[in-house]
Amino acid sequence: MLEFIYEFRYAFAISLIVGIICPFVGTFIVVRRLSVIGEVLSNMSLSGVALGSLLGSIIPFSFVPTLQIYGTFFAIIGALLVEWLRKRFPSFSEISIPILLAFGMGLSVVLFSAMNGFNVNIQAYLFGNLLAVNKTDLITTLVIGCVVLIIFLLLYKEFFAVTFDAEYSRLIGIPRRLIQFLLIIIIALTISVTVRSIGSMLVSGLMVLPVATSLLISRGFKSLLLFSMLFSVTAIFIGLFFSYLFNLATGGTIILISALLFLSVLLIKKWGFQTSIANSKSY
Amino acid sequence: MLNDFLQFDFLQNALLSGIIIGIVCPIIGVFLVIRRSSLIADTLSHVTFAGVATGLFLQKQFSFFQVISPVSIGTAFSLVGGLVIDRCKKIFRSYEELALPIILAVSIGYSVVLISLADGFNANVYNYLFGSLTAVSDKDLKWIFAIALIVLFIILLLFKELFFLSFDEEAASSSGIRVKFVNIVFTILVALVISISLNIVGILLISSLITLPAACALQLSNSFKQMFLYSILISLVAIFSGLFLSYYFDIATGGTIVLVLSTILLIILLMKQAVKKLISIERMKVIK
């Protein structure tokens, strides 16, 4: 057991960071009813990564910055495009999401296939490989994770106000658009840093599932945050262990474990609720 | 270039099935977009992927399953999934839209785990995910044709009901249309269409073939009929040019089709904006 932890110490460190920031960001996304936006941003950031690696393979010496930067940049563009498309379809604003989902995926597929077909690369970016991370990944994740957390801690009140009461926040003079834009940048950063370990197809699951689980049991915003972090870190650790033990895909295992957590909380709650009703009836 | 398409069987098959899909997908898409449930196509295609992965896994484990193609198991999954999704939405009363990313993530996670249990990611899996020009065999073509005919027939049969439901569900139900029944039939149609488009465009991109043409047509048309016409026209143009471009440059077929569609949408949106600006400038001149 200890050897296992030592062998995959980078994976464990990364999963601790990711397991904290993903549900943190996810809580704000879910509460603002933007949970589908995570999908769009992750698809867009995938195409950014594809463009980055295409440029990297064309340009011989590597002054191309890390792929995460391309990913973040594209994810931000994606968020802006969502807004732009929403205005273009005034009475069907929800259609902007599937359009951009398709565009991001199509672009990344074409870019990846332009570089000598689908190789190991695209698999790693689609579905992630947490067990294969190295020291550089850990440093990138650590830096971006710290940035995200610091921005959040500094602006917690502002984010909270904008999320729950837009009108009130305007009254007390919070620059709403700036805060919203910052939130989008944070989401983009989180996604592009998580893609390496969980994979772009599964990032939004990690952002949404733990939050959905704790939404079932928590009674306030703070407990929502805490519980969702607890659930996500638990799921990631168990998933990491299982995927190593049975040689399964890491990202998929993590998502399945968090889905199991969700399901069991749901069933326990339902069962408990019904028995309490039955009890109250008997009285 | 064109000779190749006449000469090689696999390209002919791709072209023919492209035409069929290019007609059926946007028809379903128009209904979905008007009903504001365009994300259903995304969800169902991901659920189909879960089924395909199950099929691949079973084929690997039990020789008995060699007979059953993974695609048919995928279709079965999306049929069941379509019926379950509505129930999932009820779990979160105030956060209905949460159900969708959860289903997306869980089905992808499940499929990835199963695939890693079977053969791992090989060319076969990538064909299912992203589609391929060479993936359509003669037998597939016959299936695609047959299912497309059935789907079109049912749509013609239920056209009035679907039309009514798309615009006003409450009025439809009060005027005696069996809303639940029609909805279930429609979900089955979506699942069927996804299963036949899977070979060419791939699971991750099917939904774009369903929603993007309808989105383009939404910008151009003034009536429901026009919307059908425009969306079919646009999707056919995109599929043809996508097939040719992807063959010519040797890039992924499904992705190319999607990029052509997005370019068409972008051009339409920009032109509309330009026209609006021109009109407002003219008006300003008149006022002055």
Side-chain angles (χ1 to χ4, degrees):
Chain A
M1 187 66 203
L2 273 174
E3 277 169 18
F4 167 71
I5 290 177
Y6 183 73
E7 194 182 346
F8 296 109
R9 56 194 183 283
Y10 296 132
F12 273 107
I14 285 186
S15 54
L16 193 64
I17 304 168
V18 164
I20 289 173
I21 57 172
C22 267
F24 210 92
V25 177
T27 310
F28 282 94
I29 299 181
V30 168
V31 172
R32 299 205 59 197
R33 281 149 217 279
L34 289 175
S35 47
V36 213
I37 273 208
E39 300 275 340
V40 174
L41 296 195
S42 61
N43 275 12
M44 286 302 286
S45 91
L46 179 68
S47 55
V49 167
L51 182 69
S53 36
L54 183 64
L55 285 180
S57 69
I58 291 172
I59 303 167
F61 46 93
S62 61
F63 68 84
V64 188
T66 41
L67 296 177
Q68 267 97 346
I69 293 176
Y70 288 98
T72 315
F73 187 62
F74 265 66
I76 292 171
I77 291 179
L80 296 177
L81 276 178
V82 171
E83 287 304 311
W84 187 71
L85 275 179
R86 259 173 210 268
K87 281 176 201 146
R88 300 281 94 76
F89 291 91
S91 42
F92 294 92
S93 58
E94 77 289 336
I95 203 180
S96 58
I97 302 279
I99 289 176
L100 283 171
L101 275 179
F103 173 68
M105 190 43 82
L107 186 61
S108 24
V109 169
V110 166
L111 286 175
F112 270 118
S113 76
M115 295 179 274
N116 57 54
F118 301 116
N119 40 23
V120 194
N121 245 330
I122 189 173
Q123 189 204 326
Y125 283 112
L126 277 176
F127 308 114
N129 193 353
L130 192 48
L131 292 176
V133 289
N134 52 29
K135 206 173 176 183
T136 348
D137 292 320
L138 176 61
I139 293 171
T140 338
T141 315
L142 193 64
V143 170
I144 294 188
C146 284
V147 170
V148 168
L149 276 184
I150 288 173
I151 296 180
F152 254 123
L153 290 179
L154 283 180
L155 295 172
Y156 180 80
K157 269 183 196 158
E158 281 81 356
F159 280 125
F160 191 80
V162 170
T163 303
F164 282 100
D165 201 340
E167 299 223 334
Y168 170 72
S169 73
R170 207 165 49 200
L171 270 179
I172 59 171
I174 292 172
R176 204 169 115 250
R177 305 208 63 163
L178 183 73
I179 294 289
Q180 273 176 345
F181 190 65
L182 260 180
L183 188 64
I184 282 170
I185 290 179
I186 285 178
I187 300 171
L189 277 173
T190 312
I191 285 175
S192 56
V193 86
T194 318
V195 160
R196 183 78 178 85
S197 41
I198 304 289
S200 71
M201 304 290 318
L202 298 165
V203 174
S204 68
L206 194 64
M207 289 182 138
V208 168
L209 263 170
V211 183
T213 316
S214 62
L215 209 57
L216 293 172
I217 49 172
S218 61
R219 305 225 156 162
F221 194 66
K222 270 189 186 145
S223 72
L224 185 67
L225 269 176
L226 281 179
F227 273 122
S228 47
M229 278 177 204
L230 190 74
F231 284 129
S232 88
V233 172
T234 318
I236 292 179
F237 278 171
I238 297 177
L240 207 59
F241 188 64
F242 270 115
S243 77
Y244 173 74
L245 210 62
F246 300 110
N247 198 16
L248 303 171
T250 326
T253 319
I254 292 171
I255 294 296
L256 282 191
I257 299 280
S258 34
L260 272 182
L261 276 177
F262 172 70
L263 212 64
S264 40
V265 170
L266 187 72
L267 287 181
I268 289 171
K269 197 191 162 196
K270 221 175 179 179
W271 181 71
F273 189 60
Q274 271 168 359
T275 46
S276 71
I277 283 180
N279 285 341
S280 63
K281 265 181 190 167
S282 67
Y283 282 112
Chain B
M1 179 68 209
L2 208 71
N3 277 340
D4 286 357
F5 271 83
L6 296 174
Q7 211 170 20
F8 295 121
D9 269 352
F10 75 94
L11 286 178
Q12 272 182 20
N13 283 350
L15 207 59
L16 281 176
S17 53
I19 294 174
I20 300 171
I21 292 165
I23 293 172
V24 186
C25 278
I27 291 181
I28 292 283
V30 168
F31 283 116
L32 277 178
V33 167
I34 295 286
R35 304 186 68 176
R36 287 153 212 276
S37 46
S38 38
L39 273 169
I40 289 280
D42 276 290
T43 322
L44 284 189
S45 58
H46 283 70
V47 175
T48 311
F49 183 39
V52 169
T54 314
L56 288 173
F57 174 71
L58 289 177
Q59 272 190 352
K60 171 89 179 170
Q61 299 294 321
F62 311 99
S63 52
F64 163 71
F65 280 96
Q66 295 288 350
V67 207
I68 305 168
S69 86
V71 177
S72 51
I73 297 180
T75 315
F77 263 61
S78 72
L79 284 179
V80 177
L83 305 179
V84 173
I85 287 171
D86 263 347
R87 304 196 123 227
C88 287
K89 278 190 177 168
K90 282 167 197 152
I91 297 174
F92 302 99
R93 266 169 237 109
S94 44
Y95 296 98
E96 247 191 24
E97 73 287 344
L98 249 181
L100 228 115
I102 290 181
I103 296 174
L104 286 184
V106 171
S107 50
I108 290 283
Y110 168 81
S111 342
V112 174
V113 168
L114 274 192
I115 287 171
S116 70
L117 270 180
D119 274 334
F121 285 87
N122 49 28
N124 203 1
V125 177
Y126 282 120
N127 279 349
Y128 282 121
L129 276 176
F130 305 114
S132 152
L133 262 178
T134 54
V136 188
S137 66
D138 284 342
K139 204 177 138 204
D140 289 335
L141 188 63
K142 274 177 202 152
W143 261 112
I144 292 175
F145 189 65
I147 292 184
L149 270 186
I150 295 173
V151 169
L152 284 180
F153 180 70
I154 296 178
I155 286 182
L156 279 181
L157 214 65
L158 289 175
F159 188 81
K160 268 188 196 158
E161 282 84 352
L162 283 172
F163 180 80
F164 205 172
L165 265 179
S166 310
F167 285 98
D168 198 339
E169 201 162 317
E170 283 183 17
S173 81
S174 61
S175 70
I177 290 174
R178 280 177 297 168
V179 177
K180 257 196 178 163
F181 173 72
V182 178
N183 276 341
I184 287 176
V185 171
F186 187 66
T187 313
I188 292 174
L189 292 186
V190 178
L192 285 177
V193 168
I194 286 174
S195 77
I196 59 172
S197 344
L198 192 148
N199 283 319
I200 279 211
V201 277
I203 290 159
L204 292 180
L205 296 165
I206 289 171
S207 64
S208 55
L209 211 55
I210 293 177
T211 38
L212 274 172
C216 295
L218 200 62
Q219 291 286 334
L220 295 174
S221 48
N222 298 317
S223 74
F224 205 49
K225 266 186 193 147
Q226 265 184 17
M227 212 175 145
F228 279 117
L229 278 181
Y230 283 134
S231 60
I232 291 175
L233 202 70
I234 288 169
S235 88
L236 283 179
V237 169
I239 286 180
F240 278 135
S241 40
L243 281 177
F244 280 109
L245 287 175
S246 77
Y247 179 68
Y248 192 72
F249 292 110
D250 193 22
I251 43 181
T253 316
T256 319
I257 295 173
V258 174
L259 282 194
V260 172
L261 277 172
S262 336
T263 318
I264 294 175
L265 179 65
L266 189 70
I267 292 172
I268 291 173
L269 289 176
L270 290 180
M271 271 176 49
K272 258 191 117 175
Q273 228 173 1
V275 168
K276 250 187 200 167
K277 262 197 187 146
L278 276 181
I279 289 173
S280 67
I281 289 172
E282 289 292 312
R283 269 188 197 151
M284 290 293 277
K285 274 180 189 165
V286 170
I287 292 167
K288 273 176 188 171

